[in-house]
Amino acid sequence: MNAPVPLEELLKAQTVARQVVVGLPACAGMLDHRFPLTPEGAGMLVDRGFRVKMESGAARHIHYSDEAYSRCGVEIVDRTAALTADIVVYLQALTPADARRLKRGSLLLTFLHAEPENAETLRILLHRNIITLALDILTDELGRKPFADIMHEIDGRAAIAIASSLLADAIHGKGILLGGVAGVIPCEVVILGSDIGACAAAQTAMGLGASVRMFDNNVYRLRDALHRLGPGTVGSTLHQRVLENSLRTADIVVASGSECVRTIGSDMIGLMKRGVICFDLTDSPGSAFPSMQHIDLDLASPADNDTSVPVRLCYVNAGNAVPRTVAMALSNTFITMLDNILVCDGVANALKMNAGLRSSVVTFLGKCVDSHAARILGIRPVDINLYLQFS
């Protein structure tokens, strides 16, 4: 009887793809506690093949523990490990020290911080060949700004919710309800602009029973806004006399939409009654009410708006007061964007294939491709399309 002869067996050759590491450093600033991902959002990235590293305690401002993220597959690390990831998500402006810790050639997802005080950080990002994407100017295939629109909508709703609370304060506020009751006239809300943030503020105010007036010189956009809001909102162009009369009786004034907001000078501010609550939701906080004292909501208290104090105040960064809502709203958008980068097999390919993503690039492998950032650095911006053709 013949002995069995061993035969060769074909084995499938497999290659192990390196996991892309996403870093989530903790907010180091005192005035901005926004965080990009909830535990569920981070867990969805892990399920898609990403390796997520979060700095210990990074989510404390949105009231999530490190254990909540660990249960979703997130690695809890120190700040250096989070900053040296392949993709770093950090919504605030990086300090020069943190910028130096970034891995050369890595991807930084942040907001556009093209201010003179951030010039040193921009130079370091260029020196380290960092690809920086400004999320607030990123557009989709229809030209919309998904990240910026989410933040504006949150700002609008948060502004009215906070203003309602300040008005109802019996000690430092007026002790009144925004919507009033039967036999009591509701509060008056004046909204300058008709963008997403303005519409969100108007909708929230109307839902609480307030009387709303909306002003915008862009008649087509104003018409669209009024159509969405319904007959409860009164709309007008920024007519001098009409605006002055509205400001005289307004309990809340909200400015939103930098391209249409009229600067409210000291003469118009003098018309406002004492105890009026003002919010500036424009892209340049404080620009709509330049003569007012500006207060970040993270530093605000009910005593700031005491009706016995003659100084009128302007609140900025309304969305910072609800950072957990910000994290919940941004999570889905981040997942979609990182999915697109993963499917395209790299950032360079994703930028080539996605014009909206390409429009948000600030620094690209040592070159400044954003006009605002280049102006801060005193250099001439370059066309990113030239470099993508040869990358």
Side-chain angles (χ1 to χ4, degrees):
M1 184 174 179
N2 296 329
V5 179
L7 301 177
E8 295 179 354
E9 180 182 0
L10 296 178
L11 297 177
K12 183 179 179 180
Q14 294 182 337
T15 58
V16 178
R18 189 181 72 85
Q19 284 184 304
V20 177
V21 180
V22 177
L24 303 174
C27 170
M30 295 296 293
L31 300 180
D32 192 343
H33 296 152
R34 292 174 296 182
F35 194 70
L37 291 171
T38 61
E40 294 79 7
M44 292 175 72
L45 289 181
V46 174
D47 293 339
R48 283 162 167 75
F50 290 95
R51 186 178 173 190
V52 182
K53 295 183 177 182
M54 186 185 79
E55 182 182 355
S56 178
R60 65 184 180 277
H61 293 300
I62 59 173
H63 304 289
Y64 282 117
S65 64
D66 291 345
E67 290 73 19
Y69 286 86
S70 295
R71 289 194 295 268
C72 295
V74 176
E75 302 174 39
I76 307 301
V77 297
D78 60 16
R79 188 169 187 81
T80 299
L83 286 168
T84 53
D86 303 310
I87 301 175
V88 176
V89 186
Y90 191 73
L91 304 182
Q92 297 77 24
L94 275 176
T95 63
D98 282 342
R100 293 186 183 94
R101 300 190 205 180
L102 297 176
K103 185 169 67 173
R104 287 187 175 274
S106 61
L107 173 64
L108 172 63
L109 303 179
T110 184
F111 288 148
L112 181 62
H113 301 289
E115 293 89 17
E117 57 267 25
N118 297 322
E120 181 61 23
T121 296
L122 287 171
R123 293 188 184 94
I124 295 171
L125 295 178
L126 292 173
H127 177 70
R128 300 192 64 79
N129 290 342
I130 305 298
I131 302 175
T132 307
L133 267 60
L135 301 171
D136 47 338
I137 60 175
L138 183 148
T139 59
D140 61 12
E141 62 278 2
L142 298 178
R144 300 168 301 193
K145 297 181 178 180
F147 287 95
D149 289 347
I150 287 173
M151 298 307 303
H152 286 158
E153 183 175 4
I154 293 173
D155 285 346
R157 293 192 180 277
I160 298 300
I162 294 165
S164 176
S165 176
L166 292 173
L167 283 174
D169 190 293
I171 299 176
H172 303 291
K174 293 184 176 181
I176 59 175
L177 290 174
L178 187 62
V181 293
V184 179
I185 297 176
C187 291
E188 296 184 23
V189 178
V190 170
I191 298 177
L192 309 177
S194 58
D195 62 356
I196 287 180
C199 289
Q203 193 174 41
T204 305
M206 290 169 56
L208 293 173
S211 172
V212 179
R213 292 178 179 267
M214 178 175 284
F215 292 84
D216 196 338
N217 276 336
N218 188 324
V219 178
Y220 287 99
R221 183 169 52 195
L222 180 62
R223 182 184 294 117
D224 290 340
L226 296 176
H227 179 72
R228 292 195 304 270
L229 294 170
T233 302
V234 178
S236 170
T237 58
L238 288 162
H239 189 280
Q240 179 83 9
R241 185 69 60 82
V242 177
L243 180 59
E244 288 180 357
N245 290 336
S246 296
L247 291 176
R248 281 190 176 94
T249 58
D251 297 287
I252 300 172
V253 179
V254 177
S256 180
S258 57
E259 63 277 342
C260 67
V261 167
R262 177 195 182 112
T263 300
I264 306 300
S266 57
D267 54 339
M268 284 196 173
I269 291 175
L271 299 175
M272 299 181 189
K273 58 187 178 183
R274 186 171 296 183
V276 64
I277 299 173
C278 299
F279 282 87
D280 188 346
L281 310 183
T282 63
D283 294 333
S284 301
S287 61
F289 307 98
S291 62
M292 280 189 176
Q293 179 181 343
H294 306 134
I295 295 183
D296 193 288
L297 273 175
D298 274 356
L299 299 178
S301 69
D304 295 329
N305 204 56
D306 198 313
T307 55
S308 63
V309 179
V311 178
R312 294 176 176 85
L313 306 176
C314 171
Y315 294 99
V316 298
N317 300 327
N320 293 353
V322 287
R324 185 159 177 163
T325 297
V326 171
M328 296 169 69
L330 291 181
S331 288
N332 291 334
T333 311
F334 269 116
I335 291 167
T336 301
M337 185 185 67
L338 292 174
D339 267 345
N340 291 335
I341 293 176
L342 195 63
V343 169
C344 294
D345 193 24
V347 180
N349 288 335
L351 294 177
K352 291 178 183 178
M353 300 172 64
N354 191 317
L357 196 67
R358 192 162 60 246
S359 68
S360 68
V361 182
V362 179
T363 64
F364 181 76
L365 301 179
K367 304 296 181 182
C368 184
V369 297
D370 178 79
S371 58
H372 299 286
R375 191 180 305 115
I376 296 299
L377 296 174
I379 60 178
R380 182 176 297 177
V382 298
D383 187 353
I384 187 176
N385 296 293
L386 297 177
Y387 293 94
L388 289 174
Q389 289 178 0
F390 302 102
S391 61

